[in-house]
Amino acid sequence: MHASIASFRSDEDLIREAIRQYAIGLTSCLETYYRDLYVALLETDAQFLQRLFSGDKWGARLVRIRATEPGDISDAELAGELIKFQNLFGIDQALSEILQPKGYIEALSSSEFMCMIPSKRSDIASIKLWPDWQIQFSSIFDHRHEFVHDANKVCGVTPAQMAGIEATALLVPQLTTFLVAQELGARGALLAMNGALPTVLIVEDLISNDWEIVREST
């Protein structure tokens, strides 16, 4: 997308269509991230998974979906299919069941993370989400819903607004991963940092073309 912007700048219609498709793609990535995170966490917590399917509603849904899916699909994977990650409300409901007692949004909003941002600074950085981050994060899903379900919807998102959406879509999942590792401890062993500070990647890192493969030292 970033490589295409220079070619599109002279055509406003192309810019709008590029933003439209980029917003759709970003949201699909977010849905996949949250679903995979949820499934991974359920696989590390058999007791929670058992409680989830013990109720009449969930139990009945499990029976129905089991009848249509291959038997080698795990209960955690099925749970990932039953939860909708198409907006922040659904994400909060799913992860709040695991991140007790605060819940997902409250815990993420109130947490401060000590991180490294190698491409920007050599010392330790402290990161905390801004107060109304939920509004911009939710707008990502709202735009995708509009663009997918209304082909005639005019894309009114400006390149500057898209840059903010892009940065938010990159930062929030990274901090979510750090939060899970921090809050769940041994239960989140698959995300354990082993005492190391987490590293935050920014947009400039992802679009950089001067990456080098470095052999891990002994």
Side-chain angles (χ1 to χ4, degrees), residues 13-197:
D13 289 334
L14 280 177
I15 282 284
R16 282 199 296 263
E17 185 58 27
I19 290 175
R20 182 190 191 97
Q21 296 304 323
Y22 194 21
I24 293 172
L26 275 180
T27 314
S28 297
C29 291
L30 287 173
E31 285 189 38
T32 300
Y33 163 76
Y34 279 105
R35 181 201 171 278
D36 288 353
L37 175 64
Y38 184 70
V39 171
L41 291 175
L42 290 183
E43 288 176 341
T44 66
D45 191 342
Q47 291 185 343
F48 174 73
L49 184 61
Q50 186 175 9
R51 292 197 308 273
L52 183 65
F53 286 116
S54 64
D56 294 337
K57 177 182 177 181
W58 282 95
R61 293 179 69 183
L62 175 61
V63 170
R64 287 198 300 271
I65 199 170
R66 266 286 177 220
T68 62
E69 297 291 345
D72 59 348
I73 296 180
S74 68
D75 286 348
E77 288 281 349
L78 290 179
E81 296 298 323
L82 294 173
I83 299 293
K84 301 300 181 185
F85 299 97
Q86 297 178 353
N87 51 49
L88 183 55
F89 176 77
I91 292 169
D92 182 52
Q93 278 196 315
L95 292 186
S96 290
E97 292 289 339
I98 299 174
L99 295 170
Q100 295 289 347
K102 283 187 176 181
Y104 172 59
I105 290 180
E106 183 180 348
L108 190 60
S109 299
S110 61
S111 295
E112 187 171 351
F113 302 94
M114 306 307 294
C115 309
M116 301 299 295
I117 313 177
S119 57
K120 286 295 183 183
R121 53 195 294 175
S122 58
D123 58 338
I124 298 173
S126 173
I127 297 181
K128 186 174 183 179
L129 288 173
W130 54 100
D132 58 350
W133 68 271
Q134 302 100 309
I135 297 175
Q136 188 168 51
F137 193 69
S138 291
S139 75
I140 303 173
F141 296 90
D142 294 339
H143 289 313
R144 195 283 297 271
H145 183 80
E146 292 177 347
F147 296 153
V148 168
H149 294 284
D150 185 357
N152 295 316
K153 178 71 176 180
V154 176
C155 177
V157 182
T158 67
Q161 289 172 328
M162 193 64 223
I165 288 173
E166 177 187 58
T168 302
L170 179 60
L171 179 61
V172 170
Q174 291 184 85
L175 297 188
T176 296
T177 303
F178 305 157
L179 174 70
V180 168
Q182 175 180 289
E183 293 292 319
L184 297 187
R187 286 174 55 209
L190 75 163
L191 302 170
M193 300 299 178
N194 296 322
L197 285 174

